[in-house]
Amino acid sequence: MEGSPSMLDAEAVADLVLLDPLTEESLVQTLQERFRRHDIYTYIGNVVISVNPYQALPIYTPEKVEEYHNCSFFAVKPHIYAIADDAYRSLRDRDRDQCILITGESGAGKTEASKLVMSYVAAVSSKGEEVNKVKEQLLQSNPVLEAFGNAKTVRNDNSSRFGKYMDIEFDFKGEPLGGVISNYLLEKSRIVRHVKGERNFHIFYQLLAGASPQLLQQLKLRQDCGHYGYLNRESSSLPGMDDAANFHTMQDAMRVIGFSPAEVTDLLEVTAVVLKLGNIQLSSSFQASGMEACSITEPQELREICELIGLDPSTLEQALCTRTVKARDETVLTTLTVPQGYYGRDALAKNIYSRLFDWLVNRINASIQVKSNEQRKVMGVLDIYGFEIFQDNGFEQFIINYCNEKLQQIFILMTLKEEQEEYVREGIQWTPVEFFDNSIICNLIENSTSGILALLDEECLRPGVVNEDTFLAKLNQLLAKHKHYESKETQNARHITDISLPPRCFRIHHYAGKVTYNVTGFIEKNNDLLFRDLSQAMWAARHSLLRSLFPEGDPQKVSLKLPPTAGFQFKSSVAMLMKNLYSKNPNYIRCIKPNDTKSAMVFTPELVLAQVRYLGLMENVRVRRAGYAFRQLYGPFLERYKMLNRRTWPRWNGGDREGTEVLLAGLAFPAEELAFGHTKIFIRSPRTLFDLERQRQERVSELATLIQKIFRGWRCRTQYQLMRKSQILISAWFRGHRQKNRYKQIKRSTLVLQAYARGWKARRTYRKYFRSSASTRLANFIYWRLVQKYLLGLAKNLPPLSVTDRTWPQAPYRFLDKTNQELKNIFYHWKCKKYRDQLPPSRRVQLQAKLCASELFKDKKTLYPKSLQQPFRGDYLGLKQNPKYQKLHAVAKDKLVMADAVRKVNRANGKTVPRLLLLTTEHLVLADPKAAQPKTVLSISDIRGVSVTRFSDGFLALHLKEVSTVGAKGDFLLVSDHLIELVTRLHQTFEATTGQALPLHITDRFSTHFLKGDVSITVVESPKASTDGPVCKKKGSNKMEVLVH
């Protein structure tokens, strides 16, 4: 045993090899004390003891994985990660195949331990897409196998009811490539019966709770567990376990492993068949010959089963109720009694489930096994039942305990071999170790001629009346003198009275204690017979998976050879397992259940003591302590204890072995307590090691005191030096600050004196000049100061830049009124210019027209104010858009200034007719609105003036030159709704064409020239006038009156 600080705790040593004194009581007390501290792992050398805490502990985090990764096995606290890391590194670095053997009774935590080992190896091995896929498939095999192979027992809610051995295969770099799973002795009897308070296999409850209604309908199942006989018609609820969630987890795991949807469906259909077989009820009847026969009471379940597997119901009914017996060349069909029928039904259910489980394991192997032929390294993980001692022990307990005897044998032999190899390697003399060799017990069970299994097989094959009584009689006859076998008959022969050994029982003295076995059921369970009719019926089914499970049912391959017995198969499997384990370096995890109630952190010493005995832990410790209990490499040993000798402390400059010899020579230990190997120091008794550790702790305390003393002195000196340096620095800064302040005061005083002196001198020199012009200078200064203040204040209070805003601040002084008015005008003109500069061309033209209108009509015609808000649009007819005016548009020829609808006054009678007026840059055109044809075309230069009234009407007179062709007929009288715009644009056009202003007359009386002479027109404002426009009335031949509203 190699030690570390965490190992050497006198109250609760982490390695039981160092326990002193070594008794069963001290061993259990140590486990209890460590369990109380939540230290659930303890060592016996390199064997890990795990006590189930029945609660989650924070010791499996990724940080813990890193802590134990690539760490020495004994350098940290005991942990299952330590043994997993040591096994993985031995496999990867030393090229040694490993196996991890996990044993313990049901509820001790074996399954969880195996999952922790696999998850640790997956976490520390290499990463990569393919590697991660392999690791995920290996890990996901656990939920699938747990669903089909685990069940709730009175001791454990998730008890493995089969033994599992997994070989995980790695490449030369330590990356997982795949694996192979082997299963041992599935407890198939649980299918048909289990005690009250336990459950059948998890898969049945998970299927009923987690399957969708469609899937349940497809499988012809009900969700109620109480409907099914194989589930004891009891409630399925289990505190802390979510069957529905576990079912979905299992389905996800199957997808990861590589199961196809069709395979999953087939698997669940066969599972449903097993469940429904338990609901087939038989009734008794008598044939004409008087022989008892049985028949199906309710054929509904039978029909549903046959629909699932594709089989004729009559075929299955005949196989369940009758049996075909072949005698020489004759075939006889015999009827079965009701008990025989139920036996056949249950045997069929057990065989279907057992073979289905084997198929499931093989299917998982097909996905995870290595496909390549490259050289591989192997790590095996064995999770198998521990030693079992119940009130009533049967055939299952017998072969389980046989397997544990073989495991104990390999443990003792390989542990002794490892110890002996280390002694030889280190050059230490090996002394033979006395230990209990259980090979005599193994031989009692497995001997091929006189072993119990051989006698059981012989009895099963013997013709004639065969039962458990004849089997027990043969055991008593052949094994009566064996010291590890006894029964009631052998005790009587020796005149021993033992009421604890009932009839029909025998007792074996196992390495872990005496176990009494009841022989009832041994013959039946060993034979494990399935009637050939049932095998043939299953083979006849059209369900591909179910058919493949019963190859012996093929009529073409009928064999009269009896199948191997269950005991023979298990013995062969154990022999193969032992051969496999012998080829690997073993690592052991012994699991212990602390209480029977599955309560968290409750430790029952009596229960733990029983497990300590049948796990052989005391034997393990004694073998490990044979010779020398403690050994450690010279380097770590010298590093830990060198402070105990002045010659090796604080530094040893020689070799590690010489330093260790010098160190121990100064401590005066007896020579027989020590041995010096090639690379390690060996110490015989734990007492010597603890004495060494006690001296080290005392010396460490002295050294700690010395270090504290030196440190305190150094800290005080350092603090004093810092304070002194700080004081000098503060003093220097203070003196400098004081001198600077004094200098500044002297400088200020000097400047004041100089200022007074210069002032006195200046006043004396310039006094006469200053007094002569003082008033003028002062007045000018005040004047410019007021002007400056006014201008600065004006700059801060300028009015808004809107051209309509004419506000301006008042002048603060009267002498600034003129200046203020000039600045106002300048600012306003600048503001208007800035506004004009920002205008777009179209807007500028429009405003120029408005300005022209203002100059022509403002304060002269009442209509003008109404036109201010109306924009000058120019084209009121839409010549370009209206196809009716295409000819008029052609006349304008892109020189259009204005287009509007007007009314022309008849010169003869004063009536008005509608006309279209087009003003271009060269002509004025009047057109007929109906025909859209020009009727009158005037040249702009033919116009000599325009007359309008001063009222708010649209009446105007267009005076033409008499010399013009059109003017010879006389002036035009027009009425327009846009008079202001029309006259304005006519004025602008006339001025642009002739270079002269258009003569405009705004008056109530004016004269017009008509063809027949001049006519005087008088404009009268009258309420009788129409609101639609002026009314013209002819008054004789040379007068016309115009009424406006």
Side-chain angles (χ1 to χ4, degrees):
M1 158 58 206
E2 299 180 13
S4 71
S6 61
M7 304 287 175
L8 305 175
D9 185 339
E11 293 185 9
V13 290
D15 193 328
L16 298 179
V17 173
L18 303 178
L19 191 60
D20 192 28
L22 176 61
T23 62
E24 288 183 339
E25 291 73 16
S26 63
L27 190 150
V28 173
Q29 185 178 358
T30 299
L31 292 177
Q32 184 173 9
E33 176 62 22
R34 291 184 58 79
F35 187 75
R36 185 185 64 80
R37 301 179 185 183
H38 288 197
D39 291 330
I40 63 171
Y41 296 111
T42 309
Y43 289 153
I44 299 177
N46 58 359
V47 177
V48 175
I49 301 173
S50 171
V51 184
N52 192 347
Y54 287 113
Q55 71 175 28
L57 296 178
I59 57 175
Y60 307 107
T61 60
E63 291 76 19
K64 282 290 182 182
V65 172
E66 286 299 318
E67 179 181 345
Y68 284 88
H69 183 37
N70 289 332
C71 186
S72 173
F73 186 82
F74 298 104
V76 287
K77 291 176 65 174
H79 200 290
I80 195 170
Y81 285 169
I83 193 171
D85 186 75
D86 186 63
Y88 176 70
R89 286 191 292 117
S90 296
L91 174 140
R92 183 192 62 193
D93 302 336
R94 293 179 231 159
D95 205 18
R96 298 174 62 187
D97 287 350
Q98 304 289 316
C99 63
I100 299 178
L101 282 65
I102 307 173
T103 57
E105 72 170 56
S106 179
K110 300 186 299 298
T111 301
E112 286 302 314
S114 67
K115 289 194 286 188
L116 287 170
V117 170
M118 292 175 62
S119 64
Y120 178 84
V121 173
V124 300
S125 56
S126 302
K127 304 296 187 293
E129 183 176 351
E130 190 63 30
V131 174
N132 288 338
K133 178 182 177 182
V134 172
K135 291 193 289 189
E136 190 65 19
Q137 287 183 335
L138 291 172
L139 293 175
Q140 290 301 322
S141 65
N142 287 318
V144 179
L145 293 178
E146 283 185 16
F148 284 87
N150 288 26
K152 176 192 180 300
T153 65
V154 292
R155 297 185 174 187
N156 185 5
D157 289 345
N158 189 32
S159 175
S160 297
R161 307 317 300 162
F162 70 104
K164 181 178 74 173
Y165 177 76
M166 173 183 280
D167 268 335
I168 307 174
E169 300 179 341
F170 300 82
D171 64 8
F172 70 97
K173 296 178 293 186
E175 295 179 356
L177 299 173
V180 178
I181 300 174
S182 302
N183 63 298
Y184 301 95
L185 191 66
L186 176 72
E187 187 191 14
K188 56 186 178 183
S189 60
R190 180 169 293 270
I191 292 292
V192 298
R193 68 180 65 86
H194 52 273
V195 300
K196 190 174 182 62
E198 294 190 355
R199 297 205 315 177
N200 213 317
F201 291 103
H202 290 326
I203 183 59
F204 298 119
Y205 306 95
Q206 292 176 5
L207 177 61
L208 297 180
S212 64
Q214 296 79 9
L215 180 58
L216 289 177
Q217 184 178 3
Q218 178 185 346
L219 300 178
K220 306 186 184 307
L221 294 175
R222 301 184 190 177
Q223 200 168 20
D224 180 19
C225 294
H227 177 69
Y228 299 99
Y230 281 163
L231 304 185
N232 280 1
R233 305 191 187 277
E234 295 177 345
S235 171
S236 65
S237 60
L238 184 58
M241 184 173 291
D242 188 344
D243 288 320
N246 290 339
F247 180 72
H248 299 310
T249 301
M250 181 207 68
Q251 287 183 309
D252 293 339
M254 283 185 170
R255 278 193 292 272
V256 172
I257 294 171
F259 281 75
S260 67
E263 288 176 324
V264 175
T265 301
D266 290 347
L267 181 67
L268 296 179
E269 286 176 347
V270 176
T271 305
V273 167
V274 174
L275 192 58
K276 294 177 74 64
L277 276 173
N279 283 7
I280 292 180
Q281 300 298 316
L282 303 176
S283 60
S284 175
S285 62
F286 291 90
Q287 295 179 326
S289 61
M291 293 185 63
E292 184 181 358
C294 65
S295 60
I296 306 295
T297 304
E298 177 53 55
Q300 178 62 29
E301 292 283 359
L302 183 70
R303 284 197 297 270
E304 291 181 353
I305 291 173
C306 291
E307 288 177 15
L308 282 173
I309 63 177
L311 182 65
D312 184 9
S314 61
T315 302
L316 182 57
E317 182 176 10
Q318 181 178 349
L320 288 171
C321 298
T322 61
R323 182 182 178 187
T324 302
V325 179
K326 289 188 177 182
R328 295 183 181 176
D329 296 333
E330 296 183 4
T331 301
V332 180
L333 185 67
T334 63
T335 59
L336 300 178
T337 63
V338 171
Q340 290 173 335
Y342 279 129
Y343 171 82
R345 179 200 69 175
D346 292 344
L348 177 61
K350 289 189 293 183
N351 271 272
I352 290 176
Y353 194 83
S354 175
R355 298 182 188 203
L356 179 66
F357 190 77
D358 291 339
W359 175 88
L360 181 64
V361 172
N362 292 332
R363 177 62 186 82
I364 293 174
N365 285 338
S367 292
I368 67 175
Q369 69 185 7
V370 181
K371 309 298 189 298
S372 63
N373 295 323
E374 62 180 289
Q375 186 175 3
R376 300 186 288 271
K377 305 175 184 179
V378 179
M379 177 187 290
V381 179
L382 177 65
D383 172 12
I384 202 164
Y385 351 78
F387 202 88
E388 292 187 350
I389 305 177
F390 297 151
Q391 192 71 28
D392 184 19
N393 303 286
F395 179 75
E396 290 85 357
Q397 283 69 45
F398 174 72
I399 57 178
I400 286 172
N401 293 343
Y402 159 61
C403 179
N404 278 272
E405 283 286 356
K406 297 294 288 184
L407 291 175
Q408 176 69 5
Q409 183 182 34
I410 193 175
F411 172 75
I412 295 296
L413 293 178
M414 297 192 76
T415 301
L416 286 175
K417 178 182 178 184
E418 184 181 347
E419 288 283 302
Q420 185 175 6
E421 287 178 351
E422 183 172 21
Y423 275 57
V424 172
R425 189 168 56 247
E426 291 293 327
I428 305 296
Q429 183 177 359
W430 169 257
T431 55
V433 179
E434 293 186 5
F435 65 95
F436 172 66
D437 185 358
N438 69 338
S439 59
I440 187 174
I441 303 175
C442 296
N443 190 59
L444 169 66
I445 298 172
E446 67 181 5
N447 187 280
S448 58
T449 56
S450 60
I452 296 175
L453 286 175
L455 296 176
L456 179 60
D457 287 349
E458 181 181 325
E459 195 67 14
C460 290
L461 298 176
R462 184 173 62 83
V465 178
V466 177
N467 54 41
E468 284 79 5
D469 294 328
T470 60
F471 166 62
L472 183 59
K474 181 170 288 189
L475 292 181
N476 293 332
Q477 177 185 352
L478 297 178
L479 304 176
K481 297 182 180 180
H482 200 289
K483 63 179 181 179
H484 291 278
Y485 172 87
E486 60 180 345
S487 67
K488 199 70 175 176
E489 286 72 13
T490 61
Q491 286 183 347
N492 292 337
R494 299 173 189 167
H495 305 289
I496 299 174
T497 303
D498 185 0
I499 59 174
S500 64
L501 184 59
R504 291 178 62 84
C505 295
F506 65 91
R507 180 179 292 160
I508 295 178
H509 296 200
H510 289 283
Y511 77 94
K514 299 178 181 180
V515 183
T516 302
Y517 298 101
N518 191 327
V519 296
T520 303
F522 263 57
I523 300 293
E524 174 189 331
K525 292 176 181 178
N526 189 51
N527 272 328
D528 194 21
L529 286 178
L530 179 68
F531 298 149
R532 185 178 293 110
D533 302 72
L534 292 171
S535 297
Q536 292 177 347
M538 293 300 99
W539 192 87
R542 291 189 297 276
H543 196 280
S544 58
L545 174 57
L546 183 64
R547 181 180 179 135
S548 68
L549 301 180
F550 292 88
E552 75 277 10
D554 186 355
Q556 306 298 325
K557 301 178 181 179
V558 174
S559 173
L560 297 179
K561 183 180 179 181
L562 289 175
T565 62
F568 178 83
Q569 293 179 51
F570 190 74
K571 176 182 173 183
S572 301
S573 298
V574 168
M576 189 178 302
L577 176 64
M578 294 302 116
K579 181 180 179 181
N580 198 350
L581 296 180
Y582 272 118
S583 67
K584 295 177 174 62
N585 182 56
N587 303 269
Y588 301 93
I589 301 174
R590 306 286 192 169
C591 298
I592 291 179
K593 181 173 66 172
N595 61 79
D596 273 328
T597 59
K598 294 175 276 192
S599 302
M601 303 311 295
V602 175
F603 193 94
T604 307
E606 297 78 12
L607 177 65
V608 174
L609 178 59
Q611 295 173 78
V612 165
R613 286 173 177 167
Y614 65 66
L615 283 174
L617 298 188
M618 288 293 293
E619 193 74 19
N620 293 0
V621 178
R622 289 192 184 100
V623 171
R624 286 287 178 180
R625 288 176 62 154
Y628 296 91
F630 176 84
R631 74 285 315 264
Q632 191 173 28
L633 293 170
Y634 288 121
F637 183 86
L638 181 61
E639 184 67 25
R640 180 169 180 80
Y641 297 107
K642 63 182 179 180
M643 72 283 297
L644 298 181
N645 193 310
R646 293 184 180 275
R647 294 180 59 186
T648 58
W649 177 258
R651 185 179 296 104
W652 172 257
N653 296 322
D656 291 338
R657 174 168 179 166
E658 291 77 8
T660 303
E661 291 175 348
V662 170
L663 168 66
L664 293 175
L667 296 177
F669 285 120
E672 62 272 12
E673 283 292 311
L674 306 174
F676 296 91
H678 296 312
T679 61
K680 294 181 180 179
I681 173 67
F682 289 75
I683 298 178
R684 185 176 298 278
S685 65
R687 190 179 303 277
T688 301
L689 180 64
F690 285 123
D691 185 41
L692 193 63
E693 188 65 21
R694 178 185 55 78
Q695 294 183 47
R696 179 184 179 276
Q697 291 176 354
E698 292 174 355
R699 181 58 178 159
V700 167
S701 179
E702 294 174 1
L703 292 175
T705 303
L706 177 62
I707 292 172
Q708 289 174 350
K709 180 182 70 173
I710 299 299
F711 173 75
R712 290 192 187 102
W714 170 84
R715 186 173 61 182
C716 289
R717 284 192 301 274
T718 303
Q719 187 174 6
Y720 166 74
Q721 290 170 356
L722 287 175
M723 290 175 63
R724 182 172 181 274
K725 186 184 297 184
S726 301
Q727 185 272 331
I728 293 173
L729 184 62
I730 292 171
S731 299
W733 276 94
F734 176 74
R735 285 193 295 269
H737 174 72
R738 186 173 60 182
Q739 291 300 325
K740 288 178 184 177
N741 288 344
R742 185 179 178 187
Y743 167 75
K744 290 178 181 178
Q745 183 64 36
I746 294 173
K747 183 178 179 181
R748 282 197 299 269
S749 301
T750 302
L751 291 175
V752 170
L753 290 174
Q754 289 176 347
Y756 271 100
R758 284 193 295 270
W760 173 78
K761 186 177 180 180
R763 285 192 299 274
R764 182 180 178 186
T765 304
Y766 295 102
R767 184 175 297 160
K768 55 182 178 181
Y769 303 106
F770 178 76
R771 286 179 178 177
S772 63
S773 59
S775 59
T776 305
R777 288 175 181 270
L778 185 59
N780 289 337
F781 173 78
I782 293 172
Y783 174 80
W784 291 115
R785 184 68 184 91
L786 290 175
V787 172
Q788 181 187 28
K789 183 178 180 182
Y790 161 69
L791 293 175
L792 292 175
L794 187 61
K796 296 179 181 177
N797 297 297
L798 287 175
L801 296 180
S802 174
V803 294
T804 59
D805 189 345
R806 300 298 294 270
T807 59
W808 187 257
Q810 293 291 328
Y813 309 105
R814 291 181 62 185
F815 72 89
L816 293 173
D817 286 345
K818 187 175 181 180
T819 303
N820 191 56
Q821 185 61 36
E822 288 295 329
L823 289 174
K824 177 181 178 182
N825 294 337
I826 292 171
F827 179 77
Y828 183 73
H829 285 94
W830 171 82
K831 185 164 56 172
C832 291
K833 182 180 182 304
K834 189 174 182 64
Y835 175 76
R836 290 195 301 272
D837 293 342
Q838 293 175 350
L839 291 175
S842 58
R843 180 65 173 162
R844 185 185 295 271
V845 171
Q846 192 177 38
L847 288 179
Q848 285 176 347
K850 285 284 187 180
L851 180 61
C852 181
S854 175
E855 294 173 352
L856 294 174
F857 296 104
K858 184 177 181 182
D859 299 330
K860 299 176 183 178
K861 185 168 175 65
T862 310
L863 182 63
Y864 172 71
K866 297 179 181 179
S867 70
L868 289 176
Q869 301 301 323
Q870 298 174 358
F872 290 175
R873 289 166 48 192
D875 183 6
Y876 291 93
L877 299 179
L879 291 182
K880 295 182 180 179
Q881 293 82 12
N882 197 333
K884 180 180 178 182
Y885 301 140
Q886 286 182 355
K887 294 181 180 180
L888 295 178
H889 182 60
V891 172
K893 296 180 181 178
D894 295 332
K895 298 180 180 180
L896 182 69
V897 176
M898 184 174 177
D900 192 11
V902 299
R903 296 187 296 280
K904 176 176 173 293
V905 179
N906 191 294
R907 299 182 183 93
N909 54 21
K911 294 182 179 181
T912 60
V913 293
R915 287 289 183 268
L916 301 178
L917 184 144
L918 274 66
L919 176 62
T920 69
T921 56
E922 299 174 354
H923 299 90
L924 189 146
V925 182
L926 292 175
D928 184 7
K930 294 181 179 180
Q933 292 286 347
K935 294 184 70 68
T936 304
V937 179
L938 294 176
S939 176
I940 295 297
S941 59
D942 292 340
I943 300 173
R944 62 182 177 84
V946 175
S947 296
V948 296
T949 72
R950 59 184 180 86
F951 303 111
S952 58
D953 59 278
F955 182 78
L956 81 153
L958 192 64
H959 304 291
L960 304 178
K961 295 178 181 180
E962 295 180 6
V963 298
S964 65
T965 306
V966 181
K969 296 180 180 181
D971 298 337
F972 285 100
L973 300 180
L974 302 174
V975 179
S976 173
D977 294 334
H978 304 95
L979 175 72
I980 301 298
E981 182 179 358
L982 176 59
V983 175
T984 300
R985 293 192 182 278
L986 183 59
H987 178 274
Q988 288 177 322
T989 305
F990 185 85
E991 188 175 31
T993 303
T994 64
Q996 299 176 357
L998 176 69
L1000 175 63
H1001 307 283
I1002 303 176
T1003 178
D1004 299 341
R1005 293 177 180 272
F1006 53 85
S1007 175
T1008 61
H1009 174 74
F1010 289 165
L1011 183 62
K1012 295 182 180 182
D1014 293 340
V1015 177
S1016 176
I1017 295 177
T1018 302
V1019 181
V1020 179
E1021 186 176 23
S1022 171
K1024 296 180 180 180
S1026 173
T1027 57
D1028 296 335
V1031 177
C1032 300
K1033 294 182 179 181
K1034 194 74 179 289
K1035 300 287 187 177
S1037 60
N1038 56 356
K1039 287 185 181 181
M1040 181 180 287
E1041 189 178 66
V1042 180
L1043 300 179
V1044 297
H1045 187 68

